Amino acid sequence: MPHQTQKTPVTTATPFIRMQQAVDIVNTSPHPANKIAAALFGRDTKTGKEFSVSRTNYWPAPIFEKIGTEARIGNASGTVHAETACIIAAAGATDGASLCITDPFCPNCAKNMAEAGIKAVYIDHKGFKKDFVARRAHAFEDMSMRICEKAGISVYELWRKEERLIPILQFAPSYAPPEDSPVEKKPFDAGPDKTKFLIAAKSIQSRHHSRKIAIALVKDASGSHEILTARTHPAIGYTMKADLGEIESPQGKYSFMLEPAGRILMHAARRGVKIADGFFYATQVPTARELVNITGAGLTSLYIGDLSKSRDEYGPQAMEELKEKGILSFTCLP
Ligand SMILES: [Zn+2]
């Protein structure tokens, strides 16, 4: 690996403290079998303030209350994974932040971490011993780690009592992955004006022709508004030119691609900006997984360009389930 540096000792106690924070809450996970917790910590790029947040995997309240924990939503479980939960709940920009996790992470969370600008991940050593991991080790090693390698995310096995870190993958802090399709951002002076937002969204959509995109209005800490626009894109660090073979042959149920709505969620976290509920437009129905995460992010309504189009049949199924229970509303905006 050309980007790897020599194994430098990590002197800060922070990952051990934060891992403890995750371990302390792991048993509060509502999941009966797979109890997982994570803690995210970093320094906000704009304010310089340190922040941290810890979460378990969980069912977003509206899903827990109205659908319950047994049913699948489309082909997705109704849970938000702990790592992704931390990213969407972070009180500061996640760009450059670190994550402590009780267990090895799935490829979807790996893609989310890359998109959210996470630079270091610490996994509790006990996480490698559990049965759950044995069953999922293949996806972790084959996909999650490959995604981290491309994105320049350092990964460590962490031993709490011994305060020891074993590098699994290590990058220089200066390493920057190639980025050929960043999320577009544009200042939006009209603020939360729905009519003007929808006019802007249609104009952006026409510039992108028939491509699948998502557009959202976001607000930063100073109250300024911006419009974010994202296309479908491979996980950060992958390029269609160089990595087409790998992208075209993913492992099992996972894909190396990130869908536009999910990218918007992660990019908003990366920059520490908040998505305005009711100001989210997608040209197609998001995937089932995206719709669950959108619910977890506290959004309640979406505009959709074409309600009959989606990556697969599960997006519209999830849409119907969430709509019927009054969890998410969908307005067609052709
Ligand atoms: Zn995950």
Side-chain angles (χ1 to χ4, degrees), residues 111-138:
K111 288 190 290 186
N112 286 346
M113 290 188 268
E115 194 75 16
I118 302 294
K119 283 290 170 213
V121 179
Y122 304 88
I123 303 166
D124 195 275
H125 80 279
K126 287 183 183 163
F128 288 100
K129 297 202 166 68
K130 297 178 197 167
D131 168 60
F132 172 64
V133 173
R135 286 186 281 125
R136 297 278 173 89
H138 188 66

Side-chain angles (χ1 to χ4, degrees), residues 3 32 61 72 111 181 253 265 292 324:
H3 308 296
R72 288 187 85 74
K111 288 190 290 186
S181 172
K253 65 172 180 169
L265 287 186
V292 170
E324 194 199 320

Side-chain angles (χ1 to χ4, degrees), residues 216-237:
L217 182 71
V218 295
K219 193 165 101 171
D220 70 12
S222 68
S224 311
H225 287 85
E226 262 179 4
I227 286 185
L228 301 182
T229 305
R231 284 187 196 168
T232 307
H233 193 260
I236 284 186

